[in-house]
Amino acid sequence: MSAPLRTHSAARGRPATATSSQVAFPSVLTVGIIGAGRVGATLGAALAAAGHRVVAASGASGASQARLALLLPTVSRRSVVEVARAATDLLLITVPDDALAGVVADLTADGALRPGQVVAHTSGAHGLAVLAPVGTAGARPLALHPAMTFAGTPDDLGRLPGVSYGVTAPAELRPLAARLVVDLGGVPEWIVEADRPLYHAALAHGANHLVTLVNEAADWLRDAGVGQPEKVLAPLLRAALENALRLGDEALTGPVSRGDAGTVRRHLARLAATAPDSVEPYLVLARRTAERAVASGRLRPADATALLGVLDGYGSQVAA
């Protein structure tokens, strides 16, 4: 017989026992992983380290096979359907966002799912709707997204403590979801279904676009003759990130936040000659920075007039 579920209250940090409206699960879950990408292999290894039984995993590519051998060396490699049937308690699907619906549909059509089984995905963009077909088999849906970037190496396991997880779950599965996040060393953030795209857009904008922004800056430094731009950028960017997370818009510095229209004009002229593809993104970010600087009181509207005129002038040239 399954033991009563014990977990931690996300709000108060104390143990909570499943109520009659919630579902009891064994303390040790039998888990299967579909998609041995960077996320799947890492979370599988973390669940195994937490004491759960990861019994099967799928991954067809050479990279997936190598990742499984590194992170889950004792776990059986099986087909997708076989993994689903072996995962009596928790089936973790960690495939790309656009492939998720197809995998769920195929598993349902193949009769690979069972009543009471929890089917979870790790997509940030999707919530529970993409898992709706699993309900026809009596399985239970769960969205569990780690807000972290993964390399697919053992180093990832050391980065998991303290990571936030965007969780969307039916009420009866919230204790299990909280328990899984705690087992992974993380913190649950409860996201309602309608807000999943906004949640994911925030993470993509903050992390993915940051990589593009940093690499653009590095390219410009190379164009300016700097041999090792990462050495120039590292202390500056670390300080800027820490200040932004701690101070919000109060961390804004630089020519836009001061309304230095002449400096920004010189930036744009040089970029137009050296990196013309970068002019438009610079304009967009400079205007948004100016708007936030004005709204936060860092830049007086009167001091922003000349700056915005420069941005509008170059914007018209780009549009033409």
Side-chain angles (χ1 to χ4, degrees):
M1 179 178 295
S2 297
L5 172 63
R6 301 281 297 178
T7 185
H8 292 280
S9 166
R12 303 178 188 271
R14 65 175 183 238
T17 303
T19 67
S20 58
S21 64
Q22 296 164 351
V23 183
F25 287 89
S27 58
V28 176
L29 301 175
T30 300
V31 182
I33 310 290
I34 291 179
R38 299 175 180 181
V39 176
T42 300
L43 295 187
L47 288 171
H52 298 292
R53 295 178 61 245
V54 181
V55 294
S58 69
S61 71
S64 293
Q65 293 293 327
R67 215 172 278 121
L68 286 172
L70 183 64
L71 292 169
L72 293 167
T74 63
V75 173
S76 175
R77 279 63 161 168
R78 302 188 191 179
S79 70
V80 168
V81 169
E82 289 171 335
V83 170
R85 289 175 175 158
T88 53
D89 297 315
L90 173 64
L91 177 63
L92 194 60
I93 305 177
T94 62
V95 298
D97 291 352
D98 289 348
L100 182 55
V103 171
V104 170
D106 289 345
L107 290 172
T108 305
D110 289 337
L113 306 177
R114 66 181 68 200
Q117 181 183 36
V118 174
V119 179
H121 70 70
T122 57
S123 166
H126 288 291
L128 300 182
V130 72
L131 295 174
V134 310
T136 62
R140 302 174 185 275
L142 175 62
L144 191 73
H145 174 256
M148 175 53 65
T149 183
F150 293 86
T153 69
D155 290 342
D156 288 335
L157 294 172
R159 298 188 184 101
L160 288 181
V163 166
S164 293
Y165 287 73
V167 183
T168 304
E172 67 273 14
L173 285 188
R174 284 173 70 96
L176 174 67
R179 170 188 159 193
L180 285 171
V181 171
V182 169
D183 286 348
L184 292 166
V187 180
E189 292 290 342
W190 305 99
I191 311 296
V192 300
E193 181 80 8
D195 287 340
R196 294 291 291 198
L198 181 60
Y199 157 81
H200 193 242
L203 299 182
H205 187 51
N208 304 150
H209 296 170
L210 176 63
V211 173
T212 300
L213 184 63
V214 171
N215 285 325
E216 285 265 286
D219 288 343
W220 299 353
L221 285 174
R222 291 188 190 95
D223 290 338
V226 176
Q228 293 182 293
E230 64 279 2
K231 289 190 175 181
V232 176
L233 289 171
L236 174 66
L237 297 184
R238 289 191 182 105
L241 178 58
E242 290 171 2
N243 289 340
L245 293 174
R246 184 168 55 91
L247 301 173
D249 285 327
E250 288 297 309
L252 281 173
T253 62
V256 172
S257 70
R258 296 189 297 267
D260 290 343
T263 298
V264 170
R265 183 183 292 108
R266 287 190 290 275
H267 288 179
L268 288 164
R270 192 70 178 93
L271 285 173
T274 306
D277 289 345
S278 296
V279 170
E280 186 173 4
Y282 181 102
L283 288 169
V284 171
L285 288 172
R287 174 168 284 280
R288 188 67 185 122
T289 300
E291 292 169 350
R292 295 192 71 100
V294 170
S296 64
R298 302 287 291 172
L299 176 64
R300 295 186 306 170
D303 294 336
T305 301
L307 170 69
L308 294 174
V310 169
L311 298 177
D312 289 343
Y314 270 87
S316 298
Q317 293 177 32
V318 170

